[in-house]
Amino acid sequence: MEPPELAVPPHLAGGAFANHVHVFVDPEYVTLDFGRLNPRDLERGVIVARLSLPTSGILQFRKQLEGVK
């Protein structure tokens, strides 16, 4: 099955830089918080993106990452 064609809105085209990820898991959903930590103070940072996926979505994500070389 081919993946759907998804348009990226211009305001998201640049993406977001993150150097940290925190994963929250419950039986139905996985939430990924991507953050940018201050290199001079690794105890502080800011969330730059939050993704919440159903468990099936994270399994698909894992499968795709396993194919990356």
Side-chain angles (χ1 to χ4, degrees):
M1 174 187 237
E2 290 290 320
E5 184 176 325
L6 301 173
V8 178
H11 69 281
L12 295 178
F17 174 76
N19 57 6
H20 178 78
V21 64
H22 194 110
V23 181
F24 301 93
V25 180
D26 72 25
E28 295 182 28
Y29 290 93
V30 177
T31 300
L32 305 171
D33 278 344
F34 294 92
R36 185 177 313 142
L37 298 179
N38 181 337
R40 295 183 181 166
D41 181 0
L42 296 178
E43 298 294 318
R44 298 190 185 277
V46 62
I47 297 296
V48 296
R50 173 175 280 173
L51 301 175
S52 292
L53 306 167
T55 304
S56 61
I58 204 73
L59 295 175
Q60 179 183 2
F61 181 60
R62 178 182 171 190
K63 182 179 177 183
Q64 290 181 13
L65 284 177
E66 288 173 347
V68 175
K69 295 181 182 186

